[in-house]
């Protein structure tokens, strides 16, 4: 492996000034699960690694009007956070299936976003949740919507000399659910062929089912009841990973649904629209037509999972039924 | 790129050693300290043969910078016996259930099992599978391993 120096600054300012001092010779390292692998694969040749591990305050999850996730928060910490599981479930869905326990114990959310792999598992959930990222350099600090962060495969707006210091997620509206599905060949330790995240807010969460709490009704029956009860979609965000050169929002599909009455027919149309506006390509992992077909299936399925989570919050993460 | 002093606890014993800054934890354990119980398979974080516990949590030592264990506690498979040569109950269960064939995955597998059981004393089969998903075994087909972990959890 290439030799490098390893610096461990104790403050953000120190890290920024080291970044400035070493310029292109330096590479930041968080958990290192991308950086070390890339050095071993001879894709990166830094002379100096600047570690963010020793900087206090970058590894916290805070919820105070807004969810604030430090860039050094590990996927394992996200997987274990009850708050995130309850309120921002799509992010839990992604943390839960990212790598292995060993990887999740060290790999960070900041590193995942900055590497900007088209297959980054947290990207689509963060887009669906309406996240913003804070970027800091020695002179400036700015906060941008995560949509603007990714510019291409492995490319972002982050400049040399900048550190991602925070991920901000707005508190969801009442009656909101979110969900992410990673389509993969293996049950674990695989990169997604496709990632689909949906966030849905309803105007009310009351629905007339034949059983009192709708707990025994299949989700398709519940959907039918929602239609009868005139339940409306207040907000929706649909995000796709590995469906275009960057993680993308399916805004045409969202516009079809926002403000409309929920129905099986409409969800079908929304899913078809999302599949049409995606730009998947043929790759080693899957063909474009397959990705497109699966976007249609999974957008509808994730919208239904959102509804399930709104109506049956106790059944959030591991539903037994497949649909 | 001079050497740096690294201090940490290895299997309960304080260690101080001079290391080159680009070394991985696995290189320090195997090549410098000659703790060869920890294995190298892929060297890329995929197979789990190099799994060790860092402050009780599993990490892939093959992609973990050695200098990041400064001040922390590392447990390798050598640290699992009780000091008098008695195997840990997980190791005993692995032997009893035939969960070891060539043995290459075993140190990492046992440590993943330990981290799992320390966190969740009565895991379901699903939770066991989820917990060892980062440890590949080319020999056993996993069933005996899962049975052994289940058995160890019931003690
Ligand atoms: C075996 C294995 C399996 C994997 N499986 C998955 C998977 O299923 N899904 C998935 O999405 N990924 C997966 N990955 C990729 C990787 O684990 C993730 O992308 C991880 O989140 C990276 O985080 P890290 O802390 O290790 O980043 P690092 O490797 O430390 O850093 C990654 C990049 O981000 C930069 N960086 C890190 N933090 C900051 C910051 N705060 N500000 C600015 N720049 C920063 C670094 O300079 C580097 O360029 C896998 C990797 C391995 C080895
Ligand atoms: S050798 Fe470390 S994961 Fe394979
Ligand atoms: S026993 Fe041979 S790899 Fe697991």
């Amino acid at each position: 492996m290439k030799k490098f120096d390893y610096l461990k600054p104790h403050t953000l300012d120190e890290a920024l000034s080291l970044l400035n001092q070493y310029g292109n010779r330096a590479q930041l390292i968080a958990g290192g699960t991308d950086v070390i692998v890339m050095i071993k694969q001879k894709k990166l040749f830094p002379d100096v690694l600047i570690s963010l591990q020793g900087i206090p305050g970058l590894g916290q999850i805070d919820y105070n009007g807004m969810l604030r996730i430090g860039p050094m928060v590990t996927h394992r910490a996200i997987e274990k956070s009850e708050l995130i599981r309850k309120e921002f479930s799509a992010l839990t869905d992604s943390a839960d299936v990212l790598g292995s326990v060993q990887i999740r114990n060290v790999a960070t959310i900041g590193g995942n976003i900055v590497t900007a792999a088209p297959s980054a598992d947290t990207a689509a959930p963060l887009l669906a949740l309406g996240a913003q990222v804070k970027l800091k350099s020695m002179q400036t600090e700015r906060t941008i919507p995560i949509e603007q962060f990714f510019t291409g495969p492995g490319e972002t707006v982050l400049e040399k000399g900048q550190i991602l210091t925070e991920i901000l997620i707005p508190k969801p509206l009442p009656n909101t659910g979110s969900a992410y599905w990673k389509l993969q060949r293996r049950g674990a330790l695989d990169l997604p062929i496709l990632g689909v995240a949906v966030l849905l807010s309803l105007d009310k969460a009351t629905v007339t089912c034949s059983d009192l709490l709708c707990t025994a009704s299949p989700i398709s029956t519940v959907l039918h009841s929602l239609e009868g009860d005139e339940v409306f979609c207040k907000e929706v965000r649909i995000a796709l990973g590995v469906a275009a050169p960057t993680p993308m929002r399916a805004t045409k599909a969202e516009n079809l649904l926002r403000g409309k009455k929920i129905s099986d027919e409409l969800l079908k149309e929304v899913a078809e629209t999302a599949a049409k506006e995606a730009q998947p390509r043929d790759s080693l992992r899957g063909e474009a037509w397959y990705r497109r077909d699966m976007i249609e299936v999974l957008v509808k399925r994730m919208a239904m999972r959102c509804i399930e989570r709104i109506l049956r919050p106790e059944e959030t993460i591991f539903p037994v039924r497949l649909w | 790129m001079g050497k740096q002093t690294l201090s940490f606890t290895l299997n309960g014993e304080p260690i101080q050693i001079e290391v080159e800054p680009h070394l991985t934890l696995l290189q320090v354990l195997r090549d410098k300290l000659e703790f060869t119980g920890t294995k190298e398979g892929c060297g890329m974080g995929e197979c789990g043969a190099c799994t060790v516990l860092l402050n009780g949590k599993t990490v892939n030592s093959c992609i973990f910078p050695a200098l990041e264990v400064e001040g922390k506690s590392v447990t390798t498979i050598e640290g699992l016996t009780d000091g008098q040569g008695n195997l840990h109950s997980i190791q005993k269960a692995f032997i009893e259930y035939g969960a070891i064939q060539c043995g290459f995955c075993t140190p990492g597998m046992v440590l993943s099992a330990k981290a799992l059981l320390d966190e969740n004393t009565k895991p379901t089969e699903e939770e066991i599978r989820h917990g060892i998903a980062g440890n590949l075994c080319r020999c056993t087909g996993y069933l005996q391993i899962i049975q052994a972990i289940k058995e160890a959890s019931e003690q």
Side-chain angles (χ1 to χ4, degrees), chain A residues 6 8 40 51 80 105 189, chain B residues 43 46 58 62 67-68 119:
Chain A
Y6 203 91
K8 301 211 286 187
K40 284 193 164 193
S51 167
K80 299 253 163 194
N105 277 336
L189 217 70
Chain B
E46 305 268 352
T58 54
C62 70
L67 290 178
E68 293 291 1
E119 228 175 61

Side-chain angles (χ1 to χ4, degrees), chain B residues 99-106 109 136-140 145:
Chain B
I100 307 168
Q101 287 184 30
C102 78
F104 199 78
C105 70
T106 311
M109 197 67 89
L136 301 189
C137 173
R138 297 306 305 265
C139 302
T140 64
I145 293 173

